[in-house]
């Protein structure tokens, strides 16, 4: 069993990037990343090692992102005063900002798949996180990259 | 122009970083969330206990003679209990999700739970109104008989006028308000699920 602190240090940035890819909103992403680690902390004693710890964490993070579908309907974020104080992350600029924006315009599952791919996860692991076949992951990644390349054709350096 | 896979990866990793929040603060937050959930549960139970005490009190204090009155009280209380159970977090155990499934299974699970919630909300709402109306109708028999035919009739008319208003006007409005967000979520979840099949 890995120590939570160790997991936290090792995975925080990676989970945060996944959340940023999905949400493209620094404060919101930080929030969802935190919720992810709260769940990891709660569930860690029950983790049996059926999947690699990284796969397990990214599954929780992806699901936490998808849960925002329900959150957004129930309570618009502007109604949550506690979030205001947390907006201290530096917003990305230039091409980086454009990439995250382009990703956030994709469909929900595409956002998760491409974020995991860019994070450098093997396609077999992405397949296991998302719950589709490896072949399907490959096809989807190919299509998503085409879409992103197409979007970057309109990048004007802003 | 961006057409290189490595460029995308480099961009992805380059700019975005947020300092990891202090681990103690994170875990304090986790405990607070847990405590809040527990408090909510306790309050829900407290309401149930108070309602039960209220049943006993009405029964002992008023000593109703007719069986219909007693059945009426029980039905009204049942309606109230049902309402409390449905409106507090006590149904939450039905909606507990497993957060570490793969995305496809998780989506299916969320969808199933929301559909169940939609069904329960419709059913509970109807059951609540039926129990309450039937309960009040039965409860009033004993006292309406004492009032005499004319006033008894007026009492019934007023009561059922109100229940009718609630059933035909207030209930559909409340249902729309409660069900609309659930339906939205269901629709969106179905769309997201479809994305994985495309």
């Amino acid at each position: 069993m890995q120590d939570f602190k160790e997991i936290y240090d090792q995975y925080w940035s990676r989970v945060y990037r996944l959340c940023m890819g999905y949400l493209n909103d620094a404060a919101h992403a930080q929030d969802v990343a935190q919720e992810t680690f709260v769940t990891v902390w709660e569930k860690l004693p029950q983790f049996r090692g059926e999947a690699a710890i990284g796969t397990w964490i990214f599954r929780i993070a992806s699901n936490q992102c998808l849960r925002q579908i329900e959150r957004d309907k129930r309570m618009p974020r502007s109604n949550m005063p506690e979030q205001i104080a947390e907006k201290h992350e530096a917003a990305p600029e230039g091409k980086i900002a454009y990439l995250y924006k382009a990703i956030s315009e994709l469909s929900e599952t595409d956002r998760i798949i491409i974020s995991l791919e860019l994070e450098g996860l093997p396609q077999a692991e992405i397949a296991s996180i998302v719950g589709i076949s490896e072949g399907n992951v490959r096809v989807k990644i190919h299509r998503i990259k085409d879409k992103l390349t197409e979007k970057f054709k309109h990048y004007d350096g802003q | 122009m961006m057409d290189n896979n490595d460029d995308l990866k480099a961009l992805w990793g380059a700019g975005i970083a947020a300092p990891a929040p202090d681990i103690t603060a994170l875990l304090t937050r986790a405990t607070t969330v847990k405590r809040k959930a527990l408090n909510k549960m306790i309050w829900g139970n407290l309401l149930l206990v108070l309602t039960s005490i209220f049943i006993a009190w009405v029964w002992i204090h008023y000593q109703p003679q007719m069986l219909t009155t007693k059945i009426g009280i029980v039905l009204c209380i049942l309606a109230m209990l049902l309402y409390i159970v449905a409106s507090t977090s006590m149904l939450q155990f039905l909606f507990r999700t497993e957060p570490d499934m793969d995305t496809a299974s998780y989506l299916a699970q969320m969808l199933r739970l929301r559909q169940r919630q939609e069904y329960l909300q419709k059913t509970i709402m109807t059951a609540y109104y039926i129990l309450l109306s039937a309960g009040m109708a039965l409860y009033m028999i004993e006292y309406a008989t004492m009032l005499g035919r004319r006033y008894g009739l007026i009492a019934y008319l007023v009561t059922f006028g109100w229940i009718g208003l609630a059933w035909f006007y207030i209930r559909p409005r409340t249902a729309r308000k409660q069900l609309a967000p659930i339906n939205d979520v269901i629709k969106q979840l179905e769309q997201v699920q479809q994305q994985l099949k495309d």
Side-chain angles (χ1 to χ4, degrees), chain B residues 47-63:
Chain B
L47 275 173
L48 276 178
V49 172
L50 286 178
T51 318
S52 315
I53 292 171
F54 180 68
I55 304 179
W57 180 77
V58 167
W59 209 295
I60 294 165
H61 193 260
Y62 288 102
Q63 290 290 326

Side-chain angles (χ1 to χ4, degrees), chain B:
Chain B
M1 185 74 176
M2 170 68 49
D3 50 12
N4 190 314
N5 188 21
D6 293 337
D7 283 353
L8 283 179
K9 278 194 178 163
L11 278 183
W12 172 262
I16 302 271
D22 176 32
I23 194 164
T24 349
L26 182 80
L27 296 182
T28 314
R29 179 178 150 154
T31 350
T32 319
V33 169
K34 264 195 165 169
R35 203 179 45 231
K36 270 189 189 158
L38 190 72
N39 280 346
K40 224 173 151 186
M41 196 79 163
I42 290 172
W43 277 108
N45 285 324
L46 196 70
L47 275 173
L48 276 178
V49 172
L50 286 178
T51 318
S52 315
I53 292 171
F54 180 68
I55 304 179
W57 180 77
V58 167
W59 209 295
I60 294 165
H61 193 260
Y62 288 102
Q63 290 290 326
Q65 301 300 311
M66 289 167 73
L67 183 65
T68 44
T69 317
K70 293 171 187 166
I71 298 176
I73 293 176
V74 171
L75 290 184
C76 286
I77 297 297
L78 271 180
M80 281 162 56
L81 287 183
L82 189 69
Y83 189 83
I84 291 167
V85 168
S87 60
T88 62
S89 59
M90 297 187 64
L91 283 175
Q92 285 295 315
F93 71 96
L94 282 175
F95 301 110
R96 193 164 287 163
T97 52
E98 283 302 317
D100 50 359
M101 298 171 145
D102 65 62
T103 307
S105 316
Y106 188 76
L107 278 171
Q109 178 189 243
M110 275 209 290
L111 195 58
R112 217 169 34 242
L113 293 180
R114 288 302 146 214
Q115 281 162 343
R116 192 193 294 170
Q117 187 189 18
E118 185 196 23
Y119 170 78
L120 269 182
Q121 213 143 48
K122 272 187 200 159
T123 323
I124 284 172
M125 197 75 156
T126 313
Y128 171 70
Y129 274 97
I130 289 174
L131 280 174
L132 201 65
S133 318
M136 280 176 74
L138 288 173
Y139 177 78
M140 284 173 66
I141 292 175
E142 185 171 337
Y143 305 104
T145 334
M146 288 179 197
L147 282 174
R149 187 171 285 185
R150 182 192 287 175
Y151 290 109
L153 197 69
I154 291 173
Y156 265 96
L157 279 178
V158 170
T159 311
F160 282 88
W162 162 246
I163 289 178
L165 182 76
W167 178 266
F168 291 109
Y169 182 69
I170 300 175
R171 189 187 60 99
R173 255 182 52 159
T174 321
R176 261 201 308 279
K177 230 169 80 184
Q178 285 180 339
L179 289 177
I182 304 179
N183 281 329
D184 279 354
V185 168
I186 289 179
K187 223 179 281 168
Q188 207 172 341
L189 285 174
E190 280 169 347
Q191 277 171 12
V192 176
Q193 209 173 28
Q194 190 55 40
Q195 292 165 11
L196 285 178
K197 291 173 187 155
D198 287 343

Side-chain angles (χ1 to χ4, degrees), chain A residues 62-76:
Chain A
S62 308
N63 293 341
Q64 206 65 252
C65 286
L66 284 172
R67 278 190 66 188
Q68 302 313 304
I69 295 173
E70 300 190 325
R71 294 279 163 77
D72 295 347
K73 295 284 180 217
R74 224 179 301 151
M75 186 189 273

